Amino acid sequence: MDIIHFLGYFDMDSASRPYSIKLWPPSQSTRLMLVERMVKNLVTPSILSRKYGLLSKEEAEQDAKQIEATSFATASQNFEKEPDGDGSSAVKLYAKESSRLMLEVVKRGPKPQEDREVSAERVGPSHETIFDISGGRRAFIDAEEAEELLKPLRTPGNKYTKICFSNRSFGLDAARVAESILSGLTDQLTEVDLSDFVAGRPETEALEVMNMFSSALEGCELKYLNLSNNALGEKGIRAFGGLLKSQSNLEELYLMNDGISEEAARAVCELIPSTKRLRILQFHNNMTGDEGAIAISELVKQSPVLEDFRCSSTRVDSEGGVALAKALGACSHLLKLDLRDNMFGVGAGIALSKALPEFANLTEVYLSYLNLEDEGSIALANALEESAPSLEVLEMAGDDITVGAAAPLAGCIAAKQFLTKLNLAENELKDDGAILIAKALEEGHGQLIELDLSTNLIRRVGARMLAQAVVSKPGFKLLNINGNFMSDEGVDEVKDIFRNSPGVLGPLDENDPDGEDYGEEDEEVGANNEDDLESKLKGLEIKQEA
């Protein structure tokens, strides 16, 4: 009767495999094994069965299926609330609910015959809405396995509205099975996840599989479509042409790691008839470039309710960055913006600063590794200071920011009292910049949990000021100041500040106490005594929001 141990075995077995894998949902075979295990437990004599009575196999099977379906639905709802998790909490809840419900059945005992008949009459098609075969190992599937895996979708009257075929590679034979099934579900499906579903297939076969799925799903009125991790390119996008052309009500579209080139980006814009309801658009890790970004910007312009836009690691230079920035000005509902790891430069940074005031409800902004330099960073900091009052996450790592931009940046940070994470790593803020940032964080910022100023040429004074600024914040979890130039005494000083907060100070294994000199002027600042430092700090003024 130990369902927790059974699912614990499933969990550990999955987690130990040498490739990335989600722990939730469990595979269909695992779910069936759980039902079989529960049936066996329910029909096996025990102390409880002697007290409450032993169920027949028929009744045990009926109860076990209902228990599993209920537990799965409960755990799936929990997982939907934390999609970025690994699914371990959902597995635990699945096990807990299964054990709890099974114990209730055991204590209830066998139903009277008339109750069984009424119950049997009430048992109809499954009311589950999510069908997911992505659990288990990443593998090719053939027609026979596809027939078995997709069998629940053939059940008359099923209520499935979301399907996820990710992590399984469909060849032509398996695709034909799926096509015959999916073509009968076009009136009910609203969410489709076909990410990573042709891995390892030759291009010709993969494109034909995509055509078959597109044909089967054409006409579905989808809210959610995920085609990520399929190396689509323009050919793949056009292979899904029939499906894309039939979508006028999409709310979420994911095309990450898909080889989206300039031509592919244009094809996306050409094929999708309307994005007026689009809330989430993600293009992470593609080869889009400037021309592709210009094409995407046209899509963005036509998405007035966009809330989450991600175009990170897409090889976009200044011209494409400017086009995207101008297009985003039409998206006043934006909550999350991620443009990391592109080659925007100063010009695109300034263009983006002009769009930022439109984002009154912005909560997360990721602008790292954009070559913004001081000029672009100052423009963005000034714009953010006057907008986005509820900003929670600010990332501007690796942007060539020097102490020259530290004051405007500190003014922006001081105004953002709801910040939970601040990342300014891999810049050149030095001690003077670090002191300004520390002063900005001293007052308020009670929700701050993470601060990263690693690799910023910071010495003893700046490190100490940062540590003192965050050590007393109630929920603070991590200060990363690794990769700087603290002296051995400075390291000891910082460690002492966190002596009552174990685990909060990040590792310092890359600190270099003999780091390169800043130059004569900076070295002189680093050598100042405590009185000089106090005098310096008193002269700092940071504009706080009224």
Side-chain angles (χ1 to χ4, degrees):
M1 195 175 291
D2 197 343
I3 303 301
I4 291 178
H5 281 121
F6 169 70
L7 283 170
Y9 172 78
F10 147 72
D11 185 356
M12 291 174 64
D13 178 57
S14 299
S16 65
R17 294 192 177 102
Y19 32 73
S20 176
I21 180 172
K22 295 184 294 183
L23 300 182
W24 189 263
S27 65
Q28 197 69 22
S29 60
T30 298
R31 295 180 63 186
L32 292 173
M33 286 172 64
L34 176 58
V35 171
E36 291 173 5
R37 182 66 61 90
M38 285 193 287
V39 171
K40 182 178 180 181
N41 286 327
L42 290 170
V43 299
T44 300
S46 65
I47 295 174
L48 290 175
S49 69
R50 285 198 290 271
K51 180 177 181 180
Y52 299 106
L54 191 64
L55 274 65
S56 67
K57 186 175 181 181
E58 179 184 4
E59 188 174 2
E61 287 177 346
Q62 181 179 309
D63 284 324
K65 288 177 182 177
Q66 289 180 331
I67 290 170
E68 192 281 331
T70 301
S71 301
F72 181 83
T74 301
S76 292
Q77 288 175 358
N78 178 78
F79 183 66
E80 287 292 311
K81 296 176 183 177
E82 48 175 34
D84 293 331
D86 63 1
S88 57
S89 61
V91 170
K92 291 175 183 176
L93 182 59
Y94 184 44
K96 183 179 178 182
E97 282 295 293
S98 296
S99 295
R100 181 182 68 80
L101 294 172
M102 190 165 67
L103 184 59
E104 288 182 4
V105 168
V106 170
K107 289 183 176 181
R108 181 206 68 203
K111 294 178 182 177
Q113 184 63 34
E114 57 271 22
D115 288 349
R116 285 187 226 170
E117 291 173 358
V118 171
S119 178
E121 290 174 2
R122 290 177 179 171
V123 174
S126 168
H127 291 295
E128 294 176 34
T129 60
I130 302 172
F131 182 79
D132 191 339
I133 61 171
S134 65
R137 63 188 180 87
R138 188 171 185 255
F140 282 30
I141 60 172
D142 56 23
E144 183 179 355
E145 187 176 2
E147 192 69 56
E148 182 63 28
L149 280 172
L150 306 184
K151 187 182 294 183
L153 293 176
R154 289 194 185 276
T155 305
N158 74 74
K159 303 295 182 182
Y160 293 114
T161 59
K162 176 178 180 177
I163 58 170
C164 178
F165 289 0
S166 179
N167 203 41
R168 300 300 178 95
S169 180
F170 283 77
L172 290 175
D173 291 342
R176 290 188 184 98
V177 173
E179 183 180 27
S180 67
I181 296 173
L182 295 177
S183 58
L185 300 176
T186 54
D187 291 337
Q188 65 190 67
L189 292 178
T190 59
E191 299 182 48
V192 170
D193 185 344
L194 298 178
S195 58
D196 192 24
F197 86 122
V198 289
R201 302 288 180 179
E203 181 183 279
T204 303
E205 182 181 19
L207 290 173
E208 191 169 346
V209 168
M210 292 175 193
N211 266 304
M212 293 167 70
F213 272 84
S214 176
S215 176
L217 294 167
E218 186 177 345
C220 288
E221 195 167 309
L222 300 181
K223 296 179 181 178
Y224 171 105
L225 179 60
N226 190 343
L227 300 177
S228 301
N229 302 313
N230 284 312
L232 295 173
E234 183 187 8
K235 291 180 182 179
I237 292 296
R238 295 199 179 279
F240 276 111
L243 174 60
L244 294 173
K245 285 180 180 178
S246 66
Q247 301 309 308
S248 296
N249 296 306
L250 275 177
E251 295 180 10
E252 300 182 39
L253 177 61
Y254 301 84
L255 294 169
M256 298 183 287
N257 193 31
D258 268 335
I260 300 295
S261 61
E262 170 191 339
E263 294 78 14
R266 287 175 176 165
V268 171
C269 299
E270 168 196 327
L271 292 169
I272 299 178
S274 173
T275 56
K276 289 183 178 179
R277 296 188 180 183
L278 198 63
R279 296 183 300 102
I280 300 175
L281 178 60
Q282 299 203 355
F283 279 99
H284 170 68
N285 196 29
N286 284 297
M287 43 193 279
T288 313
D290 272 356
E291 294 302 321
I294 291 171
I296 292 171
S297 69
E298 294 302 314
L299 199 67
V300 172
K301 285 179 187 177
Q302 304 302 319
S303 307
V305 297
L306 196 65
E307 297 175 358
D308 181 338
F309 180 61
R310 185 180 187 187
C311 195
S312 50
S313 302
T314 48
R315 307 183 188 181
V316 178
D317 214 319
S318 181
E319 185 181 3
V322 170
L324 286 174
K326 290 180 178 178
L328 285 166
C331 305
S332 59
H333 296 275
L334 206 64
L335 301 175
K336 182 177 178 180
L337 176 62
D338 187 348
L339 299 170
R340 282 175 287 191
D341 190 24
N342 283 298
M343 299 169 283
F344 277 22
V346 174
I350 292 173
L352 184 60
S353 72
K354 295 175 182 178
L356 284 177
E358 300 297 325
F359 313 146
N361 299 314
L362 192 66
T363 58
E364 299 179 34
V365 59
Y366 302 88
L367 303 174
S368 297
Y369 308 106
L370 293 177
N371 300 329
L372 296 173
E373 301 180 11
D374 282 354
E375 187 178 355
S377 300
I378 289 171
L380 287 164
N382 288 337
L384 278 172
E385 183 177 359
E386 302 299 329
S387 58
S390 301
L391 193 67
E392 297 174 9
V393 178
L394 174 60
E395 287 199 7
M396 296 179 70
D399 277 325
D400 299 321
I401 304 173
T402 73
V403 67
L409 196 56
C412 169
I413 292 166
K416 303 305 161 194
Q417 288 293 314
F418 296 102
L419 276 179
T420 59
K421 294 183 179 180
L422 174 61
N423 183 358
L424 299 173
E426 297 183 49
N427 286 301
E428 298 180 9
L429 289 169
K430 302 184 179 179
D431 262 16
D432 283 5
I435 291 169
L436 282 167
I437 301 302
K439 293 290 289 182
L441 292 170
E442 276 183 350
E443 298 296 325
H445 292 91
Q447 297 180 35
L448 190 68
I449 60 173
E450 188 175 320
L451 175 63
D452 190 343
L453 268 88
S454 57
T455 318
N456 261 286
L457 311 179
I458 298 170
R459 295 188 182 273
R460 177 179 180 176
V461 178
R464 186 180 76 238
M465 292 295 296
L466 290 169
Q468 290 172 338
V470 300
V471 67
S472 299
K473 298 196 183 298
F476 193 79
K477 294 180 180 179
L478 178 64
L479 172 63
N480 185 1
I481 48 174
N482 205 2
N484 284 302
F485 295 163
M486 292 174 280
S487 64
D488 292 337
E489 293 81 4
V491 169
D492 291 340
E493 199 170 48
V494 170
K495 287 182 176 178
D496 185 60
I497 291 172
F498 286 98
R499 63 186 179 278
N500 296 321
S501 304
V504 174
L505 178 63
L508 297 172
D509 55 306
E510 295 181 7
N511 178 65
D512 183 5
D514 302 317
E516 297 177 6
D517 291 344
Y518 296 165
E520 292 182 5
E521 182 180 346
D522 291 314
E523 192 64 34
E524 183 179 340
V525 170
N528 281 341
N529 61 30
E530 190 67 27
D531 291 338
D532 293 333
L533 291 170
E534 291 302 320
S535 175
K536 186 177 183 64
L537 293 178
K538 288 177 182 177
L540 294 175
E541 292 185 3
I542 297 174
K543 183 181 177 183
Q544 299 262 1
E545 192 175 71

